[in-house]
Amino acid sequence: ALLCVLPLSSSLFAQIDALEADPGIEVSRDAVAVNDVLTRRPVDPDFINTAIVLTDAGARPSVTYCVAYNHQGQPIGRAHTKTPGNGVRVILASDLTHGLDFVGKVRCRSRDRVQGTAFIVGPGNNITDTAVKNLQDRAGSLISIPAAVSR
């Protein structure tokens, strides 16, 4: 994952304010569930999903808001998660879209220091990591997953 520090503050604060007003569903999948997500063997051979792993980089709890965008750049779903200090939470692309199929991108934002990684999970044990951009400044974190899929 790429880590950059950029002057995002005022824009990021405004984006987080808007997400806090409509945060979507809460996802509370913890680190124990990561293994289940990454190693389950779906019966459906067409199964594919993106697992977004959010790691809190500080000692205090954080809230991260994520939005899925379709291939035309339109927001199609959102969710948030509360991560304990130094803890991990996992959001699936299908959580963001309430199980609807989609190909697009996901953006997550937090007022705290949160790092993101992402994996494409396919049938059986087929897992591959996918690109993630982690940007941070004094306003918090912006995590961008440019290629996400759920089917």
Side-chain angles (χ1 to χ4, degrees), residues 42 44-50 94 120-123 149-151:
D44 182 357
D46 292 331
F47 168 86
I48 190 167
N49 211 334
T50 304
S94 58
I120 305 292
V121 182
V149 62
S150 172
R151 181 181 165 120

Side-chain angles (χ1 to χ4, degrees), residues 16 22 25 36 42 81 87 99 102 124 129 136 143:
I16 292 172
D22 182 16
I25 65 164
D36 294 337
T81 189
F102 97 101
D129 63 333
Q136 294 183 347
I143 302 160

Side-chain angles (χ1 to χ4, degrees), residues 8-144:
L8 303 170
S9 298
S10 62
S11 173
L12 186 57
F13 276 134
Q15 293 170 10
I16 292 172
D17 288 343
L19 289 170
E20 287 175 343
D22 182 16
I25 65 164
E26 181 175 352
V27 177
S28 59
R29 194 175 291 108
D30 63 12
V32 174
V34 173
N35 189 47
D36 294 337
V37 169
L38 298 180
T39 61
R40 68 179 171 188
R41 297 180 179 268
V43 175
D44 182 357
D46 292 331
F47 168 86
I48 190 167
N49 211 334
T50 304
I52 303 161
V53 181
L54 301 166
T55 304
D56 184 280
R60 68 178 201 212
S62 62
V63 178
T64 304
Y65 304 92
C66 296
V67 179
Y69 298 86
N70 67 14
H71 64 283
Q72 295 177 329
Q74 300 298 315
I76 57 171
R78 63 184 67 233
H80 69 284
T81 189
K82 297 175 182 173
T83 306
N86 297 309
V88 174
R89 289 291 181 261
V90 178
I91 293 180
L92 298 175
S94 58
D95 294 333
L96 300 171
T97 62
H98 307 288
L100 296 176
D101 294 354
F102 97 101
V103 174
K105 68 179 179 183
V106 174
R107 284 199 176 153
C108 301
R109 293 167 177 84
S110 177
R111 292 188 189 274
D112 297 298
R113 300 279 184 216
V114 176
Q115 293 290 310
T117 54
F119 302 91
I120 305 292
V121 182
N125 285 335
N126 293 320
I127 301 169
T128 186
D129 63 333
T130 188
V132 176
K133 295 179 184 175
N134 286 286
L135 305 173
Q136 294 183 347
D137 76 353
R138 64 183 177 86
S141 304
L142 171 63
I143 302 160
S144 180

